[in-house]
Amino acid sequence: MGAKRVWSTAGVVALTGALLLTSAPTASADYVRDQQWVLDVFSMQDTWAESQGEGVTVAVVDSGVDATHPDLSGQVLKGKDFTGGGNAHEDTFGHGTGMASLIAARGHSAKNASGMIGLAPKAQILPLRTLQNKDDKNLDETWGAAVRYAVDQGAKVINLSFSSDGGSKTLSDGRQAIAYAQEHDVVVVAAAGNSGAVAVDEPAALPGVVSVGAVDKEGNRWEGSNTGKGLTLTAPGVEILAANKNRSPEYGLSTGTSGATAYVSATAALVRAKYPDLTAGQVINRLIKSASFLGHKGLKAPDDEYGYGIIRPYKAVTMDIPKGPKEGPLGKLQLAGASAQAGSAAGDDDSSTRAKKKSSSSSRLFLIGGIAAVVVIGGIIFAVVRSRGNRGNGGPGPGGPNGGTPPQGMGGYPNQPQYPTAQQSYPTAPPGSAPQHPNPYAQRPPHQGQ
């Protein structure tokens, strides 16, 4: 299968996303919400009736999270800065804020009907800052310390929207941190890489880590997404709207496996909230068994390009799926003579972390796409609006009507074991919705590799 037909999450920051604009005859009350095509194809109103991620903390190991963004108000915990240069609520890059918003944004104004909303709007975000700028190297010992800290702070899901630089291997600091998280029943989700390579980057490729590739609105893989054995799941990652206080009016559209990873982390939070008795491995089991190849016929799971399929949040929280073994289908990272259980004091020693930087390999964040692709429209209504009737995606609040004042512009492993997935129809959009794009996500998913 071709190397260049999936979403990307390369170690080098990828400023390759494009903000695509199309004219529309009318403007909706909240075009930011309109841009979130994922809410329609995932039938999130129905999903939120089952779970909104309540009581679950998701750690975002990234560039920090701006807690002042109106759509993230009240969602962001104190967190910790591991760069020695500020605090976890400072995000000069904007990447971490975007990831947090895809996971747990809850909108703003009356009934939270304006702005964007994440897939798990009642989850909380633990921001862990491991780099400051887009050109910074995300060192193994730095993000490893952050992962350990996340575990010790009670995070149940850890989002790693980055991959190794140039396909390099994860060093002992990172590997031990991943093992530490797995031993403490935490779901670790990481991006497969944005280079279009026929190999999943680390740390996503490590055993037990949920590695994520990206697909577009039609359910087809994105060209830049890394493929190969060890790919676990795919999720939307093309033309994804996310919060970004560095843009005007604080949103951007982008493409990449970073966003896809955040969506999988959010879905894991939904499952953990709905089924708090499940182990991390059993949560992963539900994600895998509820995934679908949609219209892609003749594929067998795990597929090198789609893994076990495209996530389906509604099915992940509603399907009748046996718990399965506690360790789950992906197993765990085994370290020879290792100290995965060793305390996380290193996670609190920022000076020690900085002292190691010269000898470590690095990882870099992959931009959720082209945060660089930005369009600012002064007082003119955004042309990108999809004209819809009653979309039913106004948010998790009662009724969820769209409303509010629109902003003034818009920015832009080792081999996994065979694990059968279930053949279930993908949920259609909420009643009364009229998505602009054909919805392949509503097709019956044939050939699930059983």
Side-chain angles (χ1 to χ4, degrees):
M1 298 183 180
K4 295 273 185 179
R5 293 185 56 205
V6 224
W7 286 357
S8 74
T9 34
V12 180
V13 174
L15 299 174
T16 57
L19 184 61
L20 304 180
L21 302 181
T22 57
S23 59
T26 59
S28 98
D30 187 66
Y31 56 74
V32 171
R33 192 66 56 86
D34 288 344
Q35 285 294 308
Q36 293 190 265
W37 61 269
V38 174
L39 301 181
D40 283 332
V41 300
F42 280 164
S43 298
M44 289 311 299
Q45 280 290 353
D46 293 338
T47 306
W48 290 325
E50 302 290 336
S51 175
Q52 296 181 32
E54 52 272 23
V56 177
T57 297
V58 181
V60 175
V61 181
D62 214 293
S63 60
V65 176
D66 191 333
T68 67
H69 193 286
D71 297 343
L72 286 168
S73 177
Q75 301 297 89
V76 185
L77 301 174
K78 181 179 179 180
K80 184 173 181 177
D81 181 279
F82 287 83
T83 70
N87 65 76
H89 289 180
E90 182 179 1
D91 184 11
T92 57
F93 183 11
H95 190 273
T97 302
M99 298 304 99
S101 70
L102 296 180
I103 297 168
R106 63 176 186 175
H108 61 273
S109 78
K111 295 184 179 180
N112 294 335
S114 297
M116 69 167 294
I117 189 166
L119 297 193
K122 287 189 177 179
Q124 288 192 302
I125 297 296
L126 179 67
L128 303 174
R129 192 183 191 211
T130 59
L131 78 169
Q132 298 181 27
N133 303 301
K134 66 179 182 179
D135 295 325
D136 290 349
K137 292 183 177 181
N138 201 20
L139 303 172
D140 290 67
E141 63 266 24
T142 306
W143 66 257
V147 166
R148 285 179 174 273
Y149 182 85
V151 174
D152 294 343
Q153 294 301 306
K156 301 305 290 182
V157 181
I158 297 177
N159 185 82
L160 307 178
S161 284
F162 58 82
S163 68
S164 56
D165 192 5
S168 59
K169 299 299 182 181
T170 303
L171 298 184
S172 61
D173 293 281
R175 295 176 69 88
Q176 289 183 12
I178 296 295
Y180 185 74
Q182 292 172 349
E183 288 300 320
H184 287 78
D185 196 42
V186 179
V187 177
V188 181
V189 187
N194 287 344
S195 61
V198 190
V200 175
D201 283 346
E202 293 192 7
L206 295 175
V209 177
V210 181
S211 59
V212 184
V215 295
D216 61 19
K217 295 175 184 177
E218 285 68 47
N220 298 319
R221 63 197 178 108
W222 172 53
E223 287 184 339
S225 182
N226 286 9
T227 61
K229 295 187 182 303
L231 183 65
T232 310
L233 294 165
T234 48
V238 177
E239 293 179 55
I240 301 300
L241 179 138
N244 190 339
K245 289 270 291 191
N246 299 327
R247 307 302 177 200
S248 176
E250 302 183 355
Y251 302 95
L253 281 175
S254 55
T255 293
T257 54
S258 285
T261 301
Y263 280 142
V264 173
S265 291
T267 305
L270 294 174
V271 174
R272 300 220 85 161
K274 176 79 172 182
Y275 305 99
D277 60 323
L278 295 185
T279 66
Q282 291 167 339
V283 170
I284 295 171
N285 176 42
R286 288 195 72 89
L287 296 179
I288 285 176
K289 286 198 171 180
S290 60
S292 170
F293 288 138
L294 300 181
H296 303 288
K297 299 181 179 181
L299 303 183
K300 291 185 178 181
D303 178 72
D304 284 359
E305 297 179 352
Y306 294 91
Y308 290 97
I310 301 168
I311 60 166
R312 301 191 296 170
Y314 179 76
K315 292 297 184 183
V317 296
T318 60
M319 280 182 65
D320 183 8
I321 300 173
K323 289 183 178 181
K326 290 183 178 181
E327 63 271 18
L330 304 184
K332 294 181 179 179
L333 178 61
Q334 301 295 327
L335 300 177
S339 57
Q341 289 284 3
S344 60
D348 297 320
D349 188 356
D350 291 343
S351 61
S352 174
T353 293
R354 292 192 299 273
K356 296 181 187 176
K357 288 186 178 180
K358 289 188 177 180
S359 62
S360 88
S361 72
S362 63
S363 302
R364 294 188 185 181
L365 286 174
F366 15 82
L367 213 50
I368 36 175
I371 286 185
V374 179
V375 174
V376 177
I377 307 177
I380 302 175
I381 300 245
F382 198 110
V384 129
V385 187
R386 292 193 234 343
S387 177
R388 297 193 185 128
N390 179 17
R391 283 175 308 282
N393 61 3
N402 289 334
T405 303
Q408 295 299 306
M410 182 72 111
Y413 349 30
N415 297 346
Q416 298 173 2
Q418 179 85 4
Y419 217 78
T421 54
Q423 294 192 5
Q424 297 287 333
S425 60
Y426 204 81
T428 57
S433 65
Q436 176 76 10
H437 303 277
N439 187 3
Y441 294 80
Q443 300 176 24
R444 259 190 102 66
H447 304 293
Q448 284 295 319
Q450 293 187 350

